[in-house]
Amino acid sequence: MKKDDKIREAFSPLLDDELHGEDREAIENELAQEAELLREIDDLRRVDALYKSLGTSQAPADFEDRLRQVMAAKASAQPANVVPMRRTWPLLAAAASILVVSAVVYRTLAPSSGDMEMAAEPVYEALRADDSAGPLTENDTALRREASESAESLVPEAADEMAGAGFDQETSMQPDGQDSVELDAMFGPAPPAEAHRQTGGAGLGGANGFGTTPTNREAGSADVAAAKPPAAAPMPELAAPAAPMRQSIQSETANQPRIQPSAPATTAAAAPPPPRGSMEDRDAPEAAEAKAKASETTGEFYDRAMDPQARRVREQILRAGELSFVFDGTQWVQTGYNGEPLTETLRGSAAWRQLPLPDDMRALVEEQTLNVIFQLGDTWYRATAPAED
Amino acid sequence: MVLLREARTQSDTELVAACQAGDEAAFFALIERHKDRLHTIVHRYLGSAEDAAEVCQDACLRAYRALPGFRGDAAFASWLTGIALNLARNRLRDKSRKGRNMGQSYEALQESAPSVLHRAEGAGDSPVASLMEQETAAVLEACLNELDEGLRAAFVLRVFDGMNYQAIAETLEIPVGTVKSRLNSARQFLRGRLRERSVL
């Protein structure tokens, strides 16, 4: 390195009083002998002085008032904004239960009796006889009838919501009552771990836009950057033909970005439990097993068409690469990136801030702390906070 | 609850602790203390006072939400400024993607108001000192907007907020050596641009 360059490197520390002792003396001695360098550092002083002369600016006088208003508005709007699916879910669950039970009743009993009205009573009796939790009380019966009536009245509303969300009822509400679909079946087998690491999530994103951008090239590879589709590439359709209302994220799908619950089931906990001794439990052990797996699910189907911020979120997701989060009881915490575990990622903590995350990852975590939105294969999910109650 | 008079004598650390214990007044005492400083930094970084107000508000909101998890490893001022600059940078990029820059570059200023620059370049001949100052300010801001985001952030923190290198490093989450090199590069760039415009 040339001597002048070395002196120039010390200009800023010298101007900012960050150079002390012998180092400072040495630079000052060098400068005294170099008229050109002296002029240069004098210019830099003037640059600073000119900019300082611009002065400070003041926040608007009503800054705190406006902040209070926004905080109050956000606080009141939060429940609706954070978990909009939660309101919809009970309706959809009720509608799904009705349809499932109806389908099973029709398939199993109607052919033998040919009279649905007559068939209903044996089914009810069978349910009652098989109730391992004990005989039904009058109260149970009344509650069950009430629930049945209210669920029936909700069906049209739920159907409207499903139609609005782009669901095809005929295809998404499977007659066998299965409301959970294996990821492998949906998105194909997960890529090998090594290949996945090498491609920085390309196993998921190479074809569907879940790639990385040049800003993420440290985490992803050039291949991934090259494979990234143009920004205008059409988003995958939300309502895939067999898209379920909620899809389970299976832990065995290694290398898939997933949300792992640390607290008891989140959104699944909000769903009404199946009635004791239900047809689903009795007749379909596979379905029961699938349901048990679904109870581990924390991802919910996310309808980006209903979210005005979706485009922005999508851009953030694309930049973010592969994520995994865990809910620590109060917030979602990022635990992995491109298959690599991260520790100490609590949002807002200095430890987290010191992690060598890509800049855009920080933005994503900052933006979506309570409302993580992410993409698996062709489908978008929203991971919501557990029900507060 | 922290009273305003008490808040003036309490350190940031004490106010943060009070806020973490659920005292909202302590949070607003912190905001009162830092809002102008924050606004200046973001204003100079974005080149727009209006956008700065919005970004600062958003930053304060996020800080309030995140404060329970704030462990004080960095100073509150650095932490809050870091949030604001992250948001400001996102805003710059959003605008840039949409083809709109926050502040005007020198070239944009030349197109939109060439007379301003013409007078600024010949500022020594201008009889109206205040107008000259305004025009010089416009050139200074335009040149600042041309700086790379990372260099600009370091320069703004140093020159407008007087942060030392360690605080800048904490705020921008970069090593101190990088702060030094960024400041050098920023100053050299601005020196060159201002000499071209005959401001220096």
Side-chain angles (χ1 to χ4, degrees):
Chain A
M1 185 186 289
K2 284 169 61 182
K3 184 179 164 189
D4 285 3
D5 290 339
K6 195 175 176 185
I7 295 172
R8 282 191 178 92
E9 272 190 359
F11 276 176
S12 274
L14 196 62
L15 290 172
D16 296 328
D17 205 20
E18 296 266 352
L19 203 61
H20 307 285
E22 291 177 359
D23 292 341
R24 187 180 186 95
E25 268 182 37
I27 294 295
E28 283 175 343
N29 288 339
E30 297 281 359
L31 275 175
Q33 297 164 20
E34 299 279 348
E36 179 63 26
L37 291 176
L38 264 179
R39 266 196 301 277
E40 203 171 314
I41 197 168
D42 191 45
D43 274 358
L44 297 181
R45 274 200 191 94
R46 288 172 62 203
V47 167
D48 273 20
L50 277 169
Y51 277 100
K52 279 178 181 162
S53 73
L54 289 176
T56 58
S57 62
Q58 289 190 325
D62 60 348
F63 185 79
E64 280 106 325
D65 292 339
R66 280 157 62 179
L67 182 60
R68 278 194 178 90
Q69 286 172 11
V70 173
M71 283 167 66
K74 293 261 182 187
S76 60
Q78 185 110 337
N81 286 342
V82 171
V83 284
M85 290 294 289
R86 215 178 271 157
R87 279 195 235 148
T88 315
W89 173 243
L91 301 178
L92 298 177
S97 301
I98 294 294
L99 287 173
V100 165
V101 170
S102 303
V104 171
V105 165
Y106 178 79
R107 203 168 57 180
T108 58
L109 300 175
S112 62
S113 68
D115 183 348
M116 288 303 292
E117 285 181 14
M118 294 299 288
E121 190 59 26
V123 169
Y124 186 75
E125 288 302 320
L127 282 171
R128 181 175 177 146
D130 197 40
D131 194 338
S132 59
L136 291 172
T137 63
E138 284 184 16
N139 191 33
D140 286 338
T141 310
L143 283 172
R144 199 170 278 186
R145 280 193 187 129
E146 190 181 331
S148 174
E149 285 167 10
S150 66
E152 283 172 5
S153 69
L154 289 174
V155 170
E157 188 181 348
D160 287 345
E161 294 218 34
M162 288 162 63
F167 282 106
D168 180 342
Q169 287 187 57
E170 286 185 12
T171 52
S172 63
M173 305 304 289
Q174 298 298 314
D176 61 2
Q178 187 175 342
D179 66 353
S180 172
V181 176
E182 297 285 332
L183 277 179
D184 283 355
M186 290 286 297
F187 313 123
E194 187 56 32
H196 190 76
R197 266 195 293 279
Q198 285 174 358
T199 57
L204 283 172
N208 61 26
F210 197 82
T212 56
T213 64
T215 57
N216 257 4
R217 277 182 187 156
E218 285 182 11
S221 70
D223 291 342
V224 177
K228 178 180 172 290
M235 288 294 295
E237 286 300 316
L238 279 176
M245 301 308 299
R246 187 177 71 228
Q247 303 176 8
S248 62
I249 304 170
Q250 308 294 348
S251 60
E252 55 266 34
T253 54
N255 302 314
Q256 299 272 15
R258 67 176 62 90
I259 290 184
Q260 301 163 333
S262 62
T266 57
T267 53
R276 290 174 294 175
S278 69
M279 293 295 286
E280 186 180 340
D281 287 348
R282 189 183 55 166
D283 291 339
E286 299 85 359
E289 190 183 343
K291 187 129 189 151
K293 282 186 179 174
S295 72
E296 298 169 12
T297 300
T298 56
E300 274 192 1
F301 192 89
Y302 167 57
D303 183 6
R304 68 183 169 84
M306 296 172 71
D307 188 343
Q309 301 292 320
R311 185 170 177 77
R312 193 163 66 95
V313 169
R314 176 183 170 232
E315 288 169 357
Q316 288 172 337
I317 295 283
L318 287 173
R319 286 202 303 269
E322 182 180 349
L323 310 175
S324 56
F325 292 83
V326 66
F327 192 79
D328 71 353
T330 55
Q331 61 189 356
W332 288 102
V333 179
Q334 185 199 344
T335 56
Y337 178 66
N338 276 349
E340 298 296 329
L342 296 177
T343 56
E344 297 293 312
T345 53
L346 281 174
R347 173 178 178 263
S349 73
W352 170 70
R353 284 156 55 83
Q354 287 164 7
L355 281 172
L357 293 177
D359 289 344
D360 296 317
M361 173 68 78
R362 291 192 193 112
L364 176 75
V365 175
E366 182 71 23
E367 291 282 332
Q368 304 295 336
T369 301
L370 281 177
N371 215 357
V372 179
I373 296 168
F374 61 100
Q375 186 183 26
L376 282 181
D378 289 345
T379 310
W380 287 81
Y381 294 85
R382 164 177 289 167
T384 56
E388 308 235 332
D389 49 354
Chain B
M1 178 184 286
V2 173
L3 299 175
L4 192 58
R5 191 181 299 170
E6 291 172 5
R8 286 186 183 131
T9 61
Q10 285 185 306
S11 68
D12 279 4
T13 310
E14 290 168 325
L15 288 171
V16 166
C19 185
Q20 286 174 328
D23 186 349
E24 193 173 284
F27 176 72
F28 279 97
L30 283 167
I31 296 305
E32 168 69 24
R33 185 175 292 177
H34 291 284
K35 65 177 182 180
D36 289 338
R37 186 187 68 80
L38 199 64
H39 191 269
T40 299
I41 291 169
V42 178
H43 176 189
R44 295 304 175 205
Y45 181 78
L46 290 177
S48 158
E50 291 81 15
D51 287 309
E54 284 179 23
V55 166
C56 288
Q57 181 176 289
D58 200 6
C60 291
L61 195 62
R62 284 157 193 268
Y64 181 71
R65 287 183 188 157
L67 211 47
F70 176 66
R71 292 193 286 195
D73 296 347
F76 174 79
S78 298
W79 180 68
L80 179 62
T81 308
I83 293 174
L85 282 176
N86 271 341
L87 291 171
R89 185 184 51 203
N90 287 347
R91 180 169 283 230
L92 273 183
R93 291 178 184 178
D94 284 348
K95 299 262 177 177
S96 161
R97 272 197 292 269
K98 291 171 187 166
R100 289 182 285 143
N101 282 321
M102 304 288 292
Q104 280 188 305
S105 68
Y106 186 84
E107 281 71 18
L109 205 57
Q110 251 179 336
E111 281 181 20
S112 61
S115 60
V116 168
L117 292 181
H118 178 72
R119 288 198 299 267
E121 285 163 3
D125 303 328
S126 172
V128 185
S130 64
L131 181 62
M132 191 175 72
E133 282 174 15
Q134 284 178 28
E135 290 160 353
T136 304
V139 176
L140 288 172
E141 286 176 0
C143 291
L144 188 58
N145 289 333
E146 290 177 23
L147 258 182
D148 169 85
E149 288 170 21
L151 304 187
R152 198 189 316 166
F155 183 78
V156 163
L157 290 175
R158 173 63 211 167
V159 171
F160 294 104
D161 196 48
M163 276 191 185
N164 62 31
Y165 285 14
Q166 184 59 42
I168 295 173
E170 275 181 12
T171 303
L172 300 181
E173 298 170 22
I174 53 177
V176 171
T178 308
V179 173
K180 190 173 78 171
S181 64
R182 283 190 185 182
L183 284 171
N184 258 332
S185 302
R187 283 171 169 141
Q188 292 289 1
F189 175 89
L190 291 171
R191 174 178 176 253
R193 296 301 269 167
L194 294 175
R195 281 170 72 92
E196 284 171 22
R197 315 298 169 219
S198 305
V199 175
L200 205 59

